[in-house]
Amino acid sequence: MKKFILLLAVSGLLASCGSKIASSNFDKGEYDRVIAVLSDRLDENNADQNFMLAEAYRLSNRLKDAAPYYRNARNAGSSEPGVDYYYARALKANQQYDAAKEILTSFITKPGGDEKFQELAQIELDNIDEIDNLSGAQNYYRVKNLDDLNTQWAEYSPVIYNNLLYFTSNRSGGKIYGVTGTPFTDLYRVRTQGANVNIKTLQPLEPIINHPDINEGTMAVSADGASIVFAKGNSGKATGNNEVNLYFTRFRNGQWLTPRPLSINMPDSWDSTPAFTPDGNTLYFSSTRPGGYGGADIYSAQLNRRGRWVDVQNLGPQINTPGDEMFPFVSEDGKMYFASNGHPGFGGLDLFAATRRRGKISVENLGKPMNSSSDDFALYQFDLTRGFFSSNRPGGKGDDDIYTYINEDPDLKVVNYFVEGITYTTDDANNKIVLPNTKVSLLAENDEVVGESFTTEDGKFRFRVYAEEDYNLIGEKTDYFTTRKVFTTMDKTVDRTTLTEFITNVTFNTEIMMDRIVLEKAIVLNNIYYDLDKWDIRPDAAKVLDSLVLIMNDNPEIFIELGSHTDARAPDDYNMDLSQKRAKSAVDYIIGKGVKAERIVAKGYGETQLIVQSATTEEQHQKNRRTEFKVLRYNPKEQEDEEPEVEVNTSTNNVDEYDRFFDEDDGSGK
């Protein structure tokens, strides 16, 4: 009996020591070590141990394995606010949908529950209710494991450029990452023709990119192939997700330059899964930075003319959810594909397609067999019917595998809409001349930025647009008035029933005329009329003044004078007083619309600046009765002189040089 009591005491001491060690490992983010420590000495009745072990499985991307430990923690009376929610998610990942619904329903109706997790639980419950509909939806996808490439290790996030397939893997072994208990990941490349890989050419990217003690993650290749952006840990320490940033490098003079972090990274955030749009002007990525809608959200950044990524924007609640959204990809037909565990899905990450219609974005689950109860993510198309994606579903070769897919939808027809144009200005003789290097933005009706680019040397710009939408095109250039032009695709939609080709491209043409900012140059505001001897702003005049408000808002760097002029058909003093009252009335109206008072002054000129000196007709008098504005001061924005992150007009010689460099390698990967 004493021996038995002694054994119990020793066992309890070991369990206590194990908990302390596991807790220390957990705080460091060494989740695989937590699993190793607790698995051998777990007390099923210890709520804290079981919850810690369950969280270690979840945070190391093994949610399915976490289910029994969340159950134990829950049964042992865990006080952790998220134990029910995460247990239900683990049950869902194991396709135990009814059991997950029961847990979620009970948790939502439990009095005194954590409000945050109850809201998440309601969303998850609603999503589970959609599974039957998702399972019954028809699609024409066929999928196949890319057997020639996959191993027992992880292979994921494929990207193709110029018959090179890039992907992320830990297939070479090496040092172990404490978070997952698997080797650190590196970037690889292999020659391929579509889905036919030449495995003999497989090799890791150069050591200047891959580091043996740091994870290299998903990558994106620029439109010219000479630059890459990829995710990379800032250290090899197991400190959780907050160590990942986006890096870029360029191929120059036969080698990759030292990777540097992008300026759009956010400190203490996970920034990863980059993807370029087909034109290379927009970079999409996923981030856990503050201000999002949940865990990881998808963001966009625009490439400015100096080769830097700017204007970071969250894609909003139509795409992002309280869950995780990541691995974006924009296809040639304008759809965005991404992975999410926040939209209705089958278990872990599912693949979704976001389509823009009439100014609204609809999100569609790609259904089975593209999705499973496991993680399905990182879709990449090499044409509109075929591509790759990644999954850790059962039946693969090991961890994450790369799969191929084909869409055999017999009614698949694609209509792409574009607007293209040229930015102009005028010379002293009022002749049109091309205005290059002008920033042009495409804004939707709600002022959402749909696209941004800088015009080429011949002044050209081009954007994808969508059917049945109203837009504004905004031209911006230093020393020129920011100019807004209305554009619409309303009533211009192609009848799909008449199409015979697989892909139909429809292009609309326009132009943007830009006026140079000249100090003290008077610009007439047409059609501003006042009632006889009055200075009140009439409705027709308000519409014209609203256009000036728009100019002021679009050009925050200008300070103006608004001048009012009369004809000469009344005494001078009367005309001067009337014009001052009219100018002030117009300025008060503009200030009332939100323009700062210090940016605009009123000036009445009376009849001192007649255009027609000896007016005799009403038309001539009307030319004299006018309202003008002129720029008194102009404070242009200072230009950044930082080194570019992307070479905007890179020659393809670099790409050819890279191909030769690759061909000279023996393909051993050493």
Side-chain angles (χ1 to χ4, degrees):
M1 185 69 179
K2 290 182 179 179
K3 183 177 180 181
F4 179 67
I5 293 174
L6 179 61
L7 287 173
L8 285 177
V10 172
S11 176
L13 180 61
L14 289 174
S16 176
C17 292
S19 293
K20 290 180 180 179
I21 295 172
S23 180
S24 176
N25 293 143
F26 192 92
D27 291 340
K28 296 176 183 177
E30 298 171 344
Y31 303 125
D32 193 66
R33 295 172 188 172
V34 173
I35 294 169
V37 170
L38 288 182
S39 294
D40 292 337
R41 56 191 74 177
L42 181 68
D43 179 358
E44 291 189 3
N45 296 314
N46 187 311
D48 292 337
Q49 282 188 4
N50 278 275
F51 186 78
M52 186 189 302
L53 182 54
E55 286 288 271
Y57 275 114
R58 179 179 71 86
L59 294 171
S60 60
N61 200 32
R62 288 172 275 187
L63 182 59
K64 288 183 179 181
D65 297 330
Y69 307 108
Y70 282 127
R71 181 194 63 219
N72 290 347
R74 187 169 177 269
N75 292 342
S78 173
S79 61
E80 294 290 343
V83 63
D84 289 341
Y85 170 70
Y86 289 126
Y87 179 36
R89 283 190 54 194
L91 290 171
K92 180 184 175 184
N94 285 283
Q95 301 184 59
Q96 298 179 39
Y97 301 132
D98 289 340
K101 288 178 65 174
E102 183 179 342
I103 297 296
L104 291 169
T105 302
S106 173
F107 176 58
I108 290 169
T109 57
K110 184 194 306 182
D114 184 89
E115 183 175 341
K116 170 191 170 184
F117 281 107
Q118 285 186 328
E119 290 178 359
L120 292 173
Q122 183 63 62
I123 293 172
E124 194 63 63
L125 184 60
D126 293 341
N127 287 348
I128 291 176
D129 286 338
E130 288 293 316
I131 289 178
D132 287 342
N133 294 331
L134 297 177
S135 299
Q138 183 181 25
N139 66 59
Y140 297 89
Y141 288 107
R142 288 195 296 111
V143 306
K144 182 180 179 181
N145 189 290
L146 191 58
D147 290 320
D148 291 343
L149 184 65
N150 293 317
T151 67
Q152 63 176 316
W153 304 103
E155 284 85 21
Y156 64 95
S157 293
V159 179
I160 284 185
Y161 182 83
N162 205 27
N163 294 325
L164 289 176
L165 173 63
Y166 297 88
F167 64 99
T168 308
S169 179
N170 54 14
R171 62 193 295 140
S172 295
K175 295 186 177 180
I176 300 300
Y177 183 42
V179 173
T180 61
T182 56
F184 285 93
T185 55
D186 288 326
L187 293 171
Y188 291 78
R189 62 179 174 245
V190 64
R191 285 285 182 190
T192 184
Q193 291 288 337
N196 299 313
V197 299
N198 182 356
I199 199 65
K200 293 181 180 179
T201 64
L202 177 71
Q203 58 183 215
L205 268 62
E206 289 70 23
I208 200 168
I209 294 175
N210 287 326
H211 190 287
D213 298 335
I214 292 177
N215 286 307
E216 284 77 31
T218 304
M219 66 174 287
V221 185
S222 65
D224 59 17
S227 301
I228 63 173
V229 172
F230 64 99
K232 184 183 182 73
N234 292 328
S235 72
K237 297 179 180 179
T239 54
N241 286 337
N242 291 344
E243 62 166 334
V244 178
N245 282 146
L246 295 173
Y247 285 74
F248 75 98
T249 181
R250 296 188 292 273
F251 193 77
R252 181 181 291 169
N253 299 325
Q255 61 183 354
W256 290 106
L257 302 181
T258 301
R260 297 177 53 197
L262 286 182
S263 59
I264 59 176
N265 290 317
M266 182 70 71
D268 298 323
S269 295
W270 177 87
D271 298 299
S272 187
T273 69
F276 294 108
T277 51
D279 63 9
N281 290 326
T282 302
L283 176 69
Y284 290 100
F285 64 98
S286 186
S287 177
T288 59
R289 62 189 58 199
Y293 292 89
D297 280 8
I298 297 176
Y299 291 78
S300 66
Q302 304 299 323
L303 182 66
N304 69 13
R305 68 181 180 86
R306 304 179 68 82
R308 296 192 66 79
W309 296 108
V310 297
D311 298 337
V312 174
Q313 298 288 331
N314 187 295
L315 295 196
Q318 293 175 304
I319 297 289
N320 295 313
T321 70
D324 297 312
E325 282 71 42
M326 53 187 71
F327 298 100
F329 173 81
V330 178
S331 68
E332 292 287 347
D333 64 351
K335 288 183 179 180
M336 170 177 280
Y337 294 89
F338 64 98
S340 171
N341 59 20
H343 291 279
F346 294 99
L349 290 171
D350 273 21
L351 290 166
F352 295 84
T355 305
R356 188 183 182 100
R357 296 187 183 95
R358 297 180 181 271
K360 295 183 179 180
I361 295 174
S362 61
V363 174
E364 177 186 11
N365 187 298
L366 296 191
K368 295 180 179 180
M370 295 293 286
N371 289 316
S372 66
S373 62
S374 301
D375 287 328
D376 306 287
F377 58 100
L379 181 145
Y380 185 91
Q381 288 183 342
F382 54 83
D383 66 35
L384 289 175
T385 62
R386 297 177 297 168
F388 302 99
F389 69 98
S390 308
S391 180
N392 61 358
R393 63 185 61 188
K397 284 201 168 182
D399 196 338
D400 296 321
D401 278 2
I402 295 174
Y403 288 76
T404 63
Y405 77 87
I406 182 169
N407 185 356
E408 297 179 324
D409 185 349
D411 296 324
L412 184 61
K413 287 186 174 64
V414 175
V415 183
N416 296 314
Y417 297 93
F418 301 94
V419 58
E420 62 181 28
I422 300 176
T423 49
Y424 290 102
T425 188
T426 54
D427 59 18
D428 293 338
N430 207 34
N431 298 313
K432 286 170 52 174
I433 55 175
V434 169
L435 190 64
N437 300 320
T438 301
K439 180 182 177 182
V440 180
S441 303
L442 180 71
L443 274 60
E445 193 173 16
N446 60 355
D447 281 344
E448 170 199 1
V449 177
V450 179
E452 290 182 349
S453 69
F454 283 80
T455 59
T456 56
E457 289 301 316
D458 52 6
K460 292 183 178 179
F461 61 87
R462 178 180 170 90
F463 293 109
R464 175 184 293 279
V465 292
Y466 301 87
E468 305 300 321
E469 292 195 37
D470 292 321
Y471 297 97
N472 279 297
L473 287 162
I474 310 293
E476 300 177 72
K477 187 175 177 66
T478 302
D479 297 334
Y480 290 81
F481 284 105
T482 295
T483 303
R484 181 179 294 250
K485 181 167 186 176
V486 174
F487 171 78
T488 185
T489 59
M490 299 295 289
D491 301 322
K492 299 177 182 179
T493 302
V494 173
D495 184 355
R496 291 174 56 87
T497 62
T498 65
L499 300 178
T500 57
E501 300 295 328
F502 174 50
I503 299 177
T504 301
N505 292 327
V506 179
T507 301
F508 307 102
N509 293 287
T510 189
E511 62 182 42
I512 300 176
M513 185 61 65
M514 308 280 291
D515 292 320
R516 180 179 285 277
I517 295 175
V518 180
L519 297 183
E520 301 288 343
K521 178 183 177 181
I523 300 173
V524 177
L525 293 172
N526 293 315
N527 303 319
I528 293 187
Y529 304 119
Y530 298 89
D531 292 329
L532 182 64
D533 295 333
K534 301 290 185 181
W535 51 88
D536 300 324
I537 301 300
R538 294 179 6 178
D540 54 352
K543 291 181 180 180
V544 181
L545 290 176
D546 286 341
S547 68
L548 182 56
V549 171
L550 195 59
I551 291 173
M552 295 293 288
N553 290 336
D554 287 342
N555 297 270
E557 63 276 5
I558 66 172
F559 297 76
I560 72 168
E561 171 194 284
L562 189 142
S564 180
H565 302 259
T566 67
D567 57 32
R569 292 185 293 184
D572 293 353
D573 291 346
Y574 174 84
N575 283 337
M576 184 66 72
D577 181 63
L578 179 62
S579 64
Q580 182 64 38
K581 289 177 178 177
R582 286 177 172 176
K584 185 177 185 306
S585 178
V587 166
D588 288 344
Y589 177 88
I590 291 171
I591 292 173
K593 292 290 185 176
V595 176
K596 293 182 179 179
E598 60 264 27
R599 293 185 57 210
I600 183 169
V601 296
K603 176 71 173 178
Y605 286 93
E607 57 185 87
T608 62
Q609 295 185 3
L610 298 175
I611 294 177
V612 182
Q613 292 295 328
S614 300
T616 58
T617 67
E618 184 59 33
E619 182 180 358
Q620 291 173 330
H621 287 304
Q622 187 172 312
K623 285 185 178 180
N624 289 329
R625 295 194 309 272
R626 67 197 186 278
T627 301
E628 300 172 336
F629 78 91
K630 57 186 176 183
V631 178
L632 301 178
R633 184 156 55 93
Y634 169 56
N635 298 332
K637 300 175 184 177
E638 294 184 5
Q639 298 292 329
E640 295 181 349
D641 293 324
E642 297 173 278
E643 181 179 343
E645 297 176 329
V646 175
E647 294 182 350
V648 179
N649 292 313
T650 305
S651 168
T652 56
N653 290 338
N654 275 341
V655 182
D656 296 337
E657 183 181 22
Y658 184 37
D659 284 345
R660 290 195 299 273
F661 175 77
F662 181 87
D663 289 336
E664 291 167 2
D665 196 284
D666 65 3
S668 65
K670 296 181 180 179

